[in-house]
Amino acid sequence: GGQVELPNGTKYKAGIVIGPLDKRGLPKLEAHLIGFKGNLYGKMLKFHPTKFIRKFTTYKNEQLLKQQIQKDITTINKLK
């Protein structure tokens, strides 16, 4: 968990995923910004990880992934 800073300086609590390496050998970064609505594709964002929550995991189906994301959001919202 942590925060993601938008180009305008606004910060959002976020679930930050550092996933497996991509084709270039770089880790994939994804973030779920809690309370944000909009599209940030192509924007330069600053990631501020603050707390390790759990290891990267793959799920058998989308429903299990969604359930875990809800648990993660609850955990992140409790962080200061």
Side-chain angles (χ1 to χ4, degrees), residues 3 11 15 24 30 36 49 54 57 62 66 72-73:
Q3 291 185 333
K11 294 180 182 177
R24 297 172 296 175
E30 294 181 16
F36 178 80
R54 63 179 174 83
T57 306
E62 188 175 336
K66 287 180 179 182
D72 293 344
I73 289 171

Side-chain angles (χ1 to χ4, degrees), residues 2-76:
Q3 291 185 333
V4 172
E5 185 175 344
L6 306 184
N8 67 6
T10 303
K11 294 180 182 177
Y12 285 87
K13 281 187 175 183
I16 299 172
V17 178
I18 302 172
L21 302 182
D22 65 14
K23 293 176 184 174
R24 297 172 296 175
L26 301 172
K28 289 183 180 181
L29 292 176
E30 294 181 16
H32 176 88
L33 282 63
I34 298 171
F36 178 80
K37 301 280 189 223
N39 184 338
L40 295 171
Y41 283 97
K43 304 289 184 196
M44 183 67 75
L45 306 174
K46 293 180 184 177
F47 286 59
H48 302 278
T50 57
K51 176 114 174 119
F52 180 81
I53 295 174
R54 63 179 174 83
K55 296 188 321 183
F56 179 81
T57 306
T58 56
Y59 294 89
K60 292 182 181 180
N61 60 54
E62 188 175 336
Q63 184 60 32
L64 291 174
L65 172 61
K66 287 180 179 182
Q67 289 172 355
Q68 184 60 54
I69 289 171
Q70 287 304 313
K71 290 177 187 177
D72 293 344
I73 289 171
T74 300
T75 300
I76 292 163

